[in-house]
Amino acid sequence: MTATSLELRGLGKRFRGHGGAGDVVAVSDVDMDARAGEFVALIGPSGCGKSTVFNIVAGIEQPSAGEIRIDGRPVTDRLGASAYMPQRDALLSWRRVIDNVTLPLELRGISKRAALAKARPLLDRFGLSEFGRAWPWQLSGGMRQRVALLRTIIADPALILLDEPFGALDSITRADLQEWLLRAWGGVGATVLLVTHDIDEAVLLADRVYVMTPRPGQIAAVVDVGLPRPRTAELRESDAFVALARRVRHELHAAITAQGEFAEPGSLAAEVPP
Amino acid sequence: MNSLRLRTWLPPTLVLAAAVALWQLWVSVSHVDPQLLPGPWQVVWATWDDRDNIWPAIGVTTEEAILGLLAATAVAFVSAVAIDSWLPVRRGLYPLIITSQTIPMIALAPLVLIWWGFGLVPKVVLVALFSFFPIAVGLVQGLASSDPDALNLLRTMRASRLALLVRVRLPSALPQFFTGLKISVTYAYGAAIVAEFVGAEQGLGLYMYTAAHAAPVATNLVFGAIVVIALLTILLFALVAGAERLAMPWKERR
């Protein structure tokens, strides 16, 4: 499995205002790095432009300023350069689980037979072997996310983008899936950019955490996690983990209060206790 | 499951039976002129006795209704995909399609007859005119209801516009397409009959016209034709509902 490096340099995005409203600067001057095979998290309050960064890297949107380098080269047509997992699972309700999973292979013109041969063992590894013929509506929220993750990795992507993959789940299912992801991730070996608003999730999964300010989103701090791998969920109780989570929380809090007048009241209460 | 089905079917069946019984009772008690209002029993028997005449008429009108629906679906499909795919078409055409509904379609029947004569074509055209709008609007709204996340997801997989249409937009549009088609089905026989009233050589519309202008007037056969048309519409509706289930096996069944 190959992995690519990702560099964002001076990334900015300005949206044209509608109906007389001024332009909205969603993100400005974002610098980020992910070396090949690294797991990098981007964390910030709701509405800080995390998803904008994410969509720009995926190639769905183009930046107003700055550039994206993949393996050191600036790439403007990035569609297909990464595998993308949106916030909501975006499973196609008219396809069975197996057909949702093989969709990326199908779009590359890979034969159905070869696609199935590739998908079957992965279904087992993702704990979905009995649900290949199920329709998406028959699955629980956590299983749907696993299907979406499997769809994300099936075409051996070198760069994976996860946009709050567990954001819509209840906290028990979320913790379960994070732990499962830690185990399942071992063999994937791609470069990963995770967008999240969950501090524990960022520290548990990532090698490095970028903390974003409220809109316009800028990088306020970078926290190197440096916890050894393989990691397990018990890590959450270790002093090192708690200290790192506290540091991310403080950086986040500092970023928000520094721009207090931009912060939306109430939107941060759940994430940053005073 | 069974009790639910019973709860769905039983109340309207009881109301209908009661209405028919009241009708029969009124006719028997009041001795109203059967040429004005025949009783339900007379209607059924008179129609049955005339089955050799009504049967071919059913075939002709059904052919007109189904061909008209198919033509409307084909034109609606092409228009809806064009409206959904190209902004200029959406801006230029969609408002006109909606405004076109201010034209009374019935009033077009004589015009359609002038242009295409007395045969099959004018009936198919009129049925298509009546049924086009619900199908087209259903398709346009269905296509527009596609999940933007799913579209973006497929774009990141470098899916072509055609692939987006086939794999996301059209499946998303199916439920609303069938809603529109089911509305159109209820118009189809009516439209075919109106076209036949204006000028036809065969069909249920002509059958009713002939019965109404006979001497003595065959009111029971007019009623009989109305009942037959209602039954045919129910049958066609049920067929479309069945096709809907087959076309969308992923839908949750209750």
Side-chain angles (χ1 to χ4, degrees):
Chain A
M1 174 92 47
T2 54
T4 55
S5 68
L6 173 70
E7 296 158 70
L8 314 188
R9 288 291 171 266
L11 208 65
K13 181 69 182 178
R14 178 185 289 272
F15 290 103
R16 183 72 47 86
H18 287 288
D23 287 4
V24 175
V25 180
V27 293
S28 96
D29 210 25
V30 168
D31 285 334
M32 279 182 70
D33 283 284
R35 288 190 295 276
E38 244 182 347
F39 197 126
V40 168
L42 178 60
I43 194 167
S46 306
C48 73
K50 300 186 294 270
S51 292
T52 302
V53 172
F54 188 85
N55 285 338
I56 291 173
V57 175
I60 297 165
E61 285 173 29
Q62 289 298 339
S64 318
E67 62 182 23
I68 295 97
R69 295 186 203 145
I70 294 173
D71 274 345
R73 284 187 309 277
V75 183
T76 49
D77 178 14
R78 292 176 298 281
L79 290 173
S82 59
Y84 162 100
M85 179 170 164
Q87 251 174 61
R88 292 180 304 114
D89 52 55
L91 296 183
L92 303 181
S93 55
W94 47 90
R95 284 172 164 250
R96 294 179 191 277
V97 164
I98 183 80
D99 298 322
N100 265 290
V101 164
T102 54
L103 181 65
L105 302 175
E106 184 185 315
L107 286 169
R108 287 175 179 209
I110 290 167
S111 76
K112 185 152 181 115
R113 204 194 168 114
L116 286 179
K118 171 133 201 193
R120 288 235 172 76
L122 286 167
L123 278 179
D124 286 346
R125 215 176 101 196
F126 277 58
L128 294 163
S129 49
E130 286 159 39
F131 298 95
R133 300 280 301 159
W135 298 107
W137 66 265
Q138 295 172 307
L139 305 184
S140 67
M143 281 167 73
R144 292 178 66 109
Q145 292 308 102
R146 290 214 295 264
V147 175
L149 267 169
L150 179 47
R151 178 187 60 197
T152 310
I153 64 145
I154 193 155
D156 298 324
L159 174 60
I160 293 173
L161 309 176
L162 306 175
D163 187 4
E164 300 187 19
F166 311 128
L169 301 175
D170 63 89
S171 59
I172 295 170
T173 312
R174 191 189 310 167
D176 187 41
L177 270 184
Q178 286 162 355
E179 190 181 353
W180 169 84
L181 185 64
L182 278 176
R183 271 184 278 120
W185 215 252
V188 174
T191 310
V192 184
L193 172 61
L194 167 78
V195 169
T196 183
H197 56 230
D198 181 329
I199 293 169
D200 281 9
E201 181 172 284
V203 174
L204 183 67
L205 296 175
D207 298 308
R208 190 159 54 257
V209 179
Y210 287 85
V211 179
M212 256 182 126
T213 65
R215 180 181 293 162
Q218 289 170 302
I219 301 297
V222 186
V223 177
D224 276 305
V225 174
L227 294 169
R229 291 183 189 271
R231 299 177 189 169
T232 61
E234 284 81 65
L235 197 63
R236 288 173 197 275
E237 281 135 46
S238 74
D239 293 343
F241 184 95
V242 172
L244 281 162
R246 186 187 301 129
R247 214 183 124 206
V248 173
R249 184 156 36 243
H250 286 169
E251 296 287 7
L252 202 49
H253 196 206
I256 290 159
T257 45
Q259 296 198 1
E261 65 271 31
F262 293 108
E264 291 168 44
S267 68
L268 314 163
E271 292 153 11
V272 185
Chain B
M1 187 74 185
N2 256 338
S3 74
L4 183 70
R5 202 166 263 184
L6 206 63
R7 251 186 298 167
T8 313
W9 288 101
L10 196 61
T13 309
L14 286 178
V15 172
L16 186 65
V20 171
L22 271 178
W23 174 12
Q24 182 70 57
L25 194 70
W26 169 252
V27 168
S28 315
V29 173
S30 69
H31 301 291
V32 63
D33 180 359
Q35 295 204 350
L36 280 180
L37 182 65
W41 204 240
Q42 287 167 280
V43 168
V44 169
W45 280 116
T47 312
W48 176 250
D49 285 342
D50 202 35
R51 61 188 177 276
D52 287 346
N53 287 321
I54 203 168
W55 189 249
I58 288 173
V60 168
T61 306
T62 300
E63 185 186 2
E64 293 160 3
I66 289 177
L67 287 178
L69 281 170
L70 289 177
T73 305
V75 178
F77 178 83
V78 173
S79 330
V81 169
I83 285 169
D84 189 64
S85 307
W86 293 291
L87 196 62
V89 180
R90 167 178 288 264
R91 289 198 175 137
L93 194 62
Y94 198 42
L96 292 184
I97 288 181
I98 291 174
T99 346
S100 74
Q101 291 308 295
T102 56
I103 301 170
M105 294 297 164
I106 287 183
L108 294 181
L111 205 56
V112 165
L113 211 80
I114 293 170
W115 287 341
W116 286 289
F118 291 86
L120 178 66
V121 177
K123 281 81 179 180
V124 171
V125 169
L126 201 69
V127 172
L129 280 172
F130 266 90
S131 20
F132 169 75
F133 187 71
I135 303 175
V137 170
L139 270 172
V140 168
Q141 294 189 342
L143 290 169
S145 75
S146 311
D147 177 11
D149 281 354
L151 290 170
N152 275 337
L153 177 76
L154 266 81
R155 283 194 191 104
T156 67
M157 299 174 190
R158 298 201 77 94
S160 63
R161 284 175 71 115
L162 181 66
L164 291 177
L165 180 68
V166 172
R167 291 189 171 77
V168 179
R169 290 204 160 97
L170 285 178
S172 305
L174 275 181
Q176 274 160 292
F177 161 71
F178 275 106
T179 304
L181 183 58
K182 284 194 278 192
I183 294 170
S184 293
V185 159
T186 64
Y187 298 163
Y189 274 99
I193 281 155
V194 166
E196 287 170 358
F197 281 164
V198 179
E201 284 148 359
Q202 45 192 346
L204 282 169
L206 181 70
Y207 181 90
M208 288 172 79
Y209 187 90
T210 312
H213 289 80
V217 59
T219 314
N220 41 18
L221 292 182
V222 174
F223 267 103
I226 292 171
V227 172
V228 164
I229 291 161
L231 291 175
L232 288 171
T233 300
I234 291 171
L235 188 69
L236 197 56
F237 190 92
L239 276 175
V240 170
E244 184 180 13
R245 284 178 151 235
L246 286 179
M248 297 188 287
W250 62 87
K251 283 280 165 192
E252 193 170 347
R253 294 275 144 70
R254 265 152 301 156

